[in-house]
């Protein structure tokens, strides 16, 4: 996260006067930062970089109701807004919306609406390509470049790269996000499970809220807590199977939110493994596994959610099993193997 913060600060200093999104402080999300990464030898450090609109612009989230993919999807409309109240050397400065000369100059320069949008909507792929180009052009200006060798990896909806220093190697994936209000819920550029996702579509993500939940649990857990080892073992056992590690993570979060932390000591390891598998089995039989964050009245108060998200019916992560009997049969067989 320090590395990505250094990169975004460099971008901010060098492009402060351009109409481009303003990268904010990076947030470490996912298994590597939560402490249970199943792949010890090739950990992926995934970070979310929130984007704020530049001066004279605003981001407005619009729910995408056209798609039939699971989950909630949004489009990020970019709009110009008046900022004429700015003062410069005691004089009122007209914004680019109301100053024809400024508007023409900005349009001729590198601008957000002209370069990173499709129509009026922020484009995921164009934003990713913009970040790639900045990484490539500005890497040598960073202090990390003296110690680490950068290799950019191909990806359309996130910025992936590898850092090497002698025998040490790190894989990093940078996702981009737009915050929903002041909450811990974002829409992000993360890849979806759909075969085709329009480049103007951003997926709602609960990764920041989930990371904060694991931090909350870490403060409550006994010194010899087994919850991370339990999740790591199950996740490694899932390699090559039909279940995603996110399914097991959701199961584990539900258990952590209901079983007292005093019952997660090392001596409880086997019982907690059994509980996890029993919970998964019951969910498969019912074809129902509720999302952890949405509609959860028991989620810790320090996790900042929009009020309506605590009250809505939680999405069913096993919705596809209700639609496809063959998929349900396969999932039950995979469970028996697990």
């Amino acid at each position: 996260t320090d590395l990505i913060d250094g990169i975004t600060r460099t971008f901010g200093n060098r492009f402060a006067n351009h109409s481009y999104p303003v990268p904010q402080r990076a947030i470490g999300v996912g298994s590597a930062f939560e402490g249970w990464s199943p792949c010890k030898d090739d950990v992926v450090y995934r970070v979310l970089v929130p984007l704020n609109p530049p001066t004279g612009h605003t981001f407005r989230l619009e729910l995408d109701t056209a798609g039939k993919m699971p989950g909630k999807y949004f489009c990020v409309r970019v709009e110009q807004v008046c900022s004429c109240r700015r003062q410069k050397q005691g004089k009122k400065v007209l914004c680019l919306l109301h100053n024809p000369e400024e508007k023409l100059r900005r349009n001729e320069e590198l601008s957000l609406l002209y370069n990173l949008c499709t129509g009026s909507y922020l484009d995921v792929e164009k934003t990713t390509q913009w970040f790639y180009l900045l990484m490539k052009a500005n890497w040598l200006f960073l202090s990390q470049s003296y110690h680490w060798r950068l290799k950019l990896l191909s990806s359309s909806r996130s910025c992936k790269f590898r850092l090497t220093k002698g025998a040490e190697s790190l894989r990093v994936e940078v996702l981009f996000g737009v915050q929903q209000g002041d909450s811990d819920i974002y829409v992000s550029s993360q890849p979806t499970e759909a075969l085709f996702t329009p480049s103007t579509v951003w997926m709602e993500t609960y990764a920041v809220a989930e990371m904060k939940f694991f931090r909350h649990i870490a403060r409550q857990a006994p010194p010899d807590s087994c919850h991370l080892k339990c999740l790591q073992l199950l996740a490694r056992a899932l390699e090559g199977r039909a279940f995603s590690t996110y399914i097991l993570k959701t199961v584990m979060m539900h258990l952590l939110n209901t079983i007292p932390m005093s019952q997660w000591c090392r001596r409880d390891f086997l019982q907690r493994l059994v509980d996890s598998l029993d919970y998964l089995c019951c969910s498969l039989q019912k074809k129902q596994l509720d999302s952890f964050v949405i509609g959860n009245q028991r989620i810790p108060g320090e996790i900042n959610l929009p009020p309506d998200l605590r009250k809505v019916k939680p999405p069913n992560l096993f919705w596809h099993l209700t639609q496809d009997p063959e998929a349900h049969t396969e999932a039950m067989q995979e469970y028996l193997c697990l």
Side-chain angles (χ1 to χ4, degrees), residues 28-295:
V29 296
S31 60
F33 289 96
E34 292 163 350
W36 58 272
S37 181
C39 303
K40 278 189 174 182
D41 298 331
D42 203 10
V43 176
V44 178
Y45 292 92
R46 188 167 288 111
V47 298
L48 178 71
V49 175
L51 300 175
N52 283 357
T55 302
H57 297 78
T58 185
F59 290 158
R60 183 157 60 86
L61 300 182
E62 296 181 357
L63 185 64
D64 177 44
T65 57
K68 297 183 180 180
M69 299 176 289
K72 291 179 69 176
Y73 295 83
F74 291 81
C75 295
V76 181
R77 177 181 282 275
V78 179
E79 297 177 338
Q80 292 183 337
V81 294
C82 177
S83 56
C84 287
R85 293 183 179 180
R86 290 182 300 161
Q87 297 290 325
K88 185 176 181 181
Q89 297 178 348
K91 297 180 180 180
K92 189 175 181 181
V93 180
L94 293 178
C95 67
L96 64 91
L97 193 63
H98 294 117
N99 186 335
E101 294 181 3
E102 176 73 3
K103 186 174 182 180
L104 178 62
R105 183 179 71 83
R106 286 297 182 94
N107 286 348
E108 291 174 346
E109 291 179 358
L110 303 175
S111 70
L112 171 58
L113 281 167
Y114 277 69
N115 289 278
L116 299 189
C117 291
T118 295
S120 299
Y121 295 100
L122 190 62
D123 190 294
V124 171
E125 296 182 9
K126 291 179 181 179
T127 302
T128 300
Q129 185 64 24
W130 163 70
F131 200 86
Y132 264 123
L133 292 175
L134 290 181
M135 283 280 294
K136 191 173 182 180
N138 293 278
W139 175 249
L140 294 179
F141 292 98
L142 301 177
S143 60
Q144 288 88 351
S145 66
Y146 295 103
H147 308 288
W148 293 91
R149 184 172 173 230
L150 172 71
K151 181 180 181 182
L152 296 172
L153 306 174
S154 177
S155 180
S156 61
R157 293 185 66 91
S158 62
C159 183
K160 296 181 180 181
F161 56 92
R162 184 182 290 276
L163 298 170
T164 54
K165 181 173 61 175
E168 190 175 0
S169 178
L170 300 175
R171 284 178 60 200
V172 183
E173 180 178 18
V174 180
L175 301 169
F176 309 100
V178 176
Q179 189 176 19
Q180 295 192 26
D182 60 351
S183 73
D184 292 321
I185 307 300
Y186 291 76
V187 298
S188 85
S189 64
Q190 69 187 68
T192 69
E193 296 180 359
L195 294 177
F196 171 75
T197 304
S199 60
T200 54
V201 169
W202 300 66
M203 183 178 181
E204 187 171 73
T205 178
Y206 318 118
V208 175
E210 292 165 355
M211 177 273 296
K212 292 181 71 172
F213 174 74
F214 275 92
R215 282 188 183 175
H216 169 82
I217 291 298
R219 290 192 294 269
Q220 311 293 324
D224 64 341
S225 177
C226 66
H227 68 284
L228 294 177
K229 287 294 184 183
C230 185
L231 180 53
Q232 186 180 54
L233 175 61
L234 291 171
R236 293 192 74 168
L238 273 183
E239 291 180 345
R241 302 200 179 278
F243 298 115
S244 69
T245 54
Y246 188 72
I247 294 297
L248 278 182
K249 176 184 172 181
T250 301
V251 167
M252 188 62 67
M253 289 189 292
H254 280 298
L255 291 176
L256 287 168
N257 212 31
T258 53
I259 298 175
M261 290 311 301
S262 60
Q263 298 179 28
W264 287 89
C265 297
R266 181 177 297 178
R267 64 176 181 271
D268 305 306
F269 182 74
L270 182 58
Q271 185 57 53
R272 296 293 81 84
L273 279 176
V274 172
D275 292 341
S276 302
L277 292 172
D278 284 349
Y279 195 106
L280 177 59
C281 181
C282 185
S283 300
L284 284 170
Q285 290 172 342
K286 295 188 298 182
K287 305 177 186 178
Q288 178 76 32
L289 177 61
D290 290 340
S291 167
F292 177 73
V293 173
I294 304 302

Side-chain angles (χ1 to χ4, degrees), residues 315-336:
N316 177 16
L317 300 186
F318 281 162
W319 70 274
H320 61 289
L321 300 183
T322 65
Q323 308 294 319
D324 189 345
E326 290 185 6
H328 181 244
T329 300
E330 180 184 355
M332 292 302 301
Q333 291 174 345
E334 288 285 340
Y335 168 79
L336 292 175

